Amino acid sequence: LHDRLAGAKPTERLHGCGDQENFFRQPTGPGWVLVGDAAHHKDSITARGISDAFQQVEALVEAVTGTLGGDPALLDAALARFAEDARARLVPGYEATLGAARLDPHEQRLSLLRAVQSDPELTAIYLDMVAGIASASALYTPRLLALL
């Protein structure tokens, strides 16, 4: 990509998105639930929002299965458990995204990126991790540790 863009000239002004509000909202209440950016939002630098939203919806469906059309208290309890579990799953990616958005990488992160770039398989795993579809444990293998 670098070689392809080396002699390129911009065709228009680059537009950014400015300051983005990062937050977690109360995601559930009696008979209602928020998912995706309505429930929590983080800087778009990692493009994790849509992956997180899909994962939240899958978890929500699992959480409320068997509770719809019955006792509202059972639904509310399922929604409360969903909210607690969702927050626990989302916080690590949220914190990592805010760290990346600062655009101030530490030497440890730069070392990781240098090691990952030398191996296409590790690069793919790293990008999956950034997207939220792979865990850090999938990346931190003996193969990566040998490169660090």
Side-chain angles (χ1 to χ4, degrees), residues 52-134:
D52 286 348
F54 287 140
Q55 290 171 351
Q56 288 172 56
V57 170
E58 288 176 352
L60 176 61
V61 168
E62 187 176 316
V64 300
T65 296
T67 66
L68 300 177
D71 181 357
L74 292 176
L75 174 61
D76 292 343
L79 292 176
R81 284 190 303 276
F82 160 77
E84 189 175 313
D85 293 346
R87 186 171 183 102
R89 281 190 311 274
L90 293 168
V91 164
Y94 180 84
E95 291 173 350
T97 297
L98 297 186
R102 285 187 202 96
L103 300 177
D104 184 24
H106 298 282
E107 186 53 42
Q108 186 178 20
R109 182 171 180 84
L110 293 174
S111 295
L112 169 68
L113 293 173
R114 287 184 200 106
V116 166
Q117 79 171 354
S118 69
D119 184 307
E121 184 178 339
L122 289 174
T123 300
I125 296 169
Y126 174 80
L127 293 174
D128 286 348
M129 185 186 75
V130 169
I133 55 178

